[in-house]
Amino acid sequence: MRRYVSKLTNWHLGFRNLNPLMVCVDCGSGSLSKICSFSSCCANLNEDSVKDNPVSDMLTDSFGRIHTYLRISLTERCNLRCQYCMPAEGVELTPAPKILTINEVVRLASLFVTSGVNKIRLTGGEPMIRKDIEDICLELSNLKGLKTLAMTTNGITLARKLPKLKECGLTALNISLDTLVPAKFEFMTRRKGLEKVKQSIDTALELGYNPVKVNCVVMRGFNDDEICDFVELTRDKPINIRFIEFMPFDGNVWNSKKLVSYSEMLDRVAKKFVSVKRLNDHPTETAKNFGIEGHVGTVSFITSMTEHFCAGCNRLRLLADGNFKVCLFGPSEVSLKDPLRNGADDMILREIISAAVKRKKAAHAGMFDLAKTANRPMVHIGG
């Protein structure tokens, strides 16, 4: 089965029959005569695995997208002050009593998992700040049907706690690192800590995480000169460097001149690493993935600004304050915490979730419109 979906009728990523009028979910081409040449268009869907893990209607939107991936922000607090994530003056944080408790997180997560979610990613703020992070991982990893429990972290305090977190069921890691230069790190994060992040990456490798994903937001004039230095990290270690296009959020002073596009980043990599080759991507993959001959690790590009991947989106977000968000760039949110604390049963919560999922739009706005659209700072939404 080729990786195309119908743009003219409801479509289903491998869960139901595909309509013959197809559009590539990787490049979004709507022309029947124009087919994306990337190898990812030939990625096969494992229909048997979908049948074995049926997804309820609650997680299927009006365009037929099936949402099996839930990102849960555990806190709005962070021990760094990254410029693309948080305004210089800081942000007003939600009072602690209004943040989801461990029991509320687990109950809501259970609703999603029993409906078909098989991957959960813990984010923040900085999720390691939660004192009950180990208990949260243990409770979530024990949910029947959950296949992957991942975390995105800045790595500042990760190394010390990671062995225990792995024992508690944490199966995958993304560690944020935007520069390999100490002075730049301190400038970007407004804090020291580069060596601690490097130590966390090494610890993750030693504990057998494979790959260890390293998220790098690329900004012109700041770290775009380090792109190939990051790629070198993949030569001898199972590291997946994930170059992320700079995205607009409230307070991060986004400017298109700071944006380094996917095509420009790939061109820089290809000029130095001539054997770079596109890999097959899963239809719901957010990144465009590449391998380099002789390298143990891989390189990826997350192209939210220049080549969106909305057609294959399978992600939902539960924010630390209990709000539910169906699109990273969409301002619409609905509270799950309020009805939960007011005694709503599972059926009511499922109805609220389902209604929000059904309202999800086909695609987010273009990058210049996004820059003008009110949305919360990234630290509120979750990385």
Side-chain angles (χ1 to χ4, degrees):
M1 182 187 298
R2 284 185 179 268
R3 185 186 167 201
Y4 307 115
V5 294
S6 168
K7 192 174 183 179
L8 305 181
T9 64
N10 284 353
W11 45 266
H12 302 264
L13 296 176
F15 195 64
R16 298 175 185 164
N17 294 330
L18 295 178
N19 187 282
L21 298 176
M22 300 298 173
V23 57
C24 173
V25 302
D26 191 60
C27 70
S29 171
S31 169
L32 296 180
S33 61
K34 180 183 177 183
I35 294 178
C36 175
S37 60
F38 285 138
S39 61
S40 61
C41 283
C42 295
N44 292 323
L45 291 170
N46 188 338
E47 291 181 297
D48 291 334
S49 65
V50 177
K51 292 175 182 176
D52 292 341
N53 297 282
V55 180
S56 77
D57 180 68
M58 182 186 92
L59 299 179
T60 305
D61 69 14
S62 61
F63 300 94
R65 289 172 296 200
I66 301 169
H67 298 80
T68 58
Y69 181 1
L70 177 66
R71 301 175 71 98
I72 302 177
S73 175
L74 297 179
T75 178
E76 297 172 353
R77 302 178 66 84
C78 188
N79 45 11
L80 296 181
R81 295 291 182 270
C82 297
Q83 295 188 31
Y84 57 78
C85 183
M86 186 181 295
E89 65 276 12
V91 296
E92 184 176 352
L93 300 177
T94 301
K98 295 185 178 181
I99 297 294
L100 291 177
T101 66
I102 179 173
N103 290 336
E104 291 169 336
V105 168
V106 173
R107 181 180 171 191
L108 291 173
S110 180
L111 279 178
F112 283 95
V113 173
T114 55
S115 298
V117 162
N118 55 41
K119 179 177 181 179
I120 288 177
R121 177 173 297 280
L122 303 177
T123 69
E126 171 49 44
M128 295 297 297
I129 285 180
R130 285 281 297 241
K131 294 181 180 179
D132 54 0
I133 184 62
E134 295 168 353
D135 294 331
I136 291 174
C137 286
L138 183 60
E139 293 283 347
L140 294 179
S141 66
N142 284 328
L143 293 177
K144 186 177 180 180
L146 188 69
K147 296 179 179 178
T148 303
L149 179 61
M151 179 189 292
T152 295
T153 171
N154 60 32
I156 293 294
T157 63
L158 179 66
R160 176 171 52 86
K161 295 184 178 181
L162 188 53
K164 181 64 175 179
L165 288 173
K166 186 176 183 183
E167 291 179 8
C168 291
L170 186 68
T171 59
L173 271 174
N174 286 49
I175 300 175
S176 299
L177 179 61
D178 303 313
T179 178
L180 301 172
V181 180
K184 285 186 180 181
F185 182 92
E186 188 172 347
F187 170 78
M188 173 53 62
T189 67
R190 306 183 179 104
R191 298 290 188 274
K192 297 181 183 293
L194 176 59
E195 291 307 314
K196 292 181 179 179
V197 181
K198 289 182 177 179
Q199 182 183 358
S200 290
I201 294 173
D202 290 339
T203 299
L205 292 168
E206 292 168 2
L207 289 173
Y209 285 93
N210 185 357
V212 174
K213 295 183 178 181
V214 176
N215 293 347
C216 178
V217 178
V218 179
M219 289 163 282
R220 192 179 307 281
F222 172 67
N223 61 351
D224 56 317
D225 60 331
E226 297 183 67
I227 290 175
C228 289
D229 295 333
F230 272 98
V231 175
E232 281 291 348
L233 298 179
T234 71
R235 186 178 294 276
D236 301 313
K237 299 177 181 179
I239 291 175
N240 171 226
I241 296 294
R242 299 166 70 81
F243 294 117
I244 303 172
E245 291 181 336
F246 184 36
M247 297 177 283
F249 292 95
D250 280 8
N252 73 350
V253 197
W254 184 86
N255 187 312
S256 62
K257 294 180 180 179
K258 297 180 183 178
L259 173 69
V260 183
S261 70
Y262 153 59
S263 59
E264 181 180 343
M265 288 189 281
L266 178 58
D267 183 61
R268 293 194 193 188
V269 173
K271 284 181 178 179
K272 182 170 182 179
F273 304 92
V274 295
S275 62
V276 63
K277 183 179 180 180
R278 184 69 187 268
L279 303 176
N280 288 340
D281 300 330
H282 189 276
T284 60
E285 177 66 79
T286 60
K288 295 174 174 60
N289 301 298
F290 292 80
I292 300 174
E293 185 176 346
H295 284 227
V296 176
T298 55
V299 177
S300 304
F301 301 87
I302 298 178
T303 64
S304 304
M305 295 295 93
T306 62
E307 294 186 23
H308 73 72
F309 33 81
C310 301
C313 181
N314 70 337
R315 291 152 182 79
L316 301 170
R317 292 173 178 267
L318 178 61
L319 278 55
D321 63 2
N323 277 12
F324 179 53
K325 196 174 177 73
V326 297
C327 176
L328 171 63
F329 296 108
S332 298
E333 300 177 6
V334 60
S335 177
L336 297 181
K337 178 193 66 186
D338 291 344
L340 178 65
R341 292 187 177 181
N342 287 327
D345 61 20
D346 287 356
M347 182 178 295
I348 292 176
L349 292 170
R350 291 179 190 276
E351 290 175 354
I352 296 171
I353 294 168
S354 179
V357 172
K358 297 296 185 292
R359 291 193 296 269
K360 185 171 182 175
K361 296 182 179 179
H364 64 67
M367 62 180 176
F368 293 106
D369 289 331
L370 285 176
K372 301 174 185 176
T373 302
N375 198 0
R376 292 213 254 177
M378 191 61 170
V379 72
H380 276 175
I381 299 171

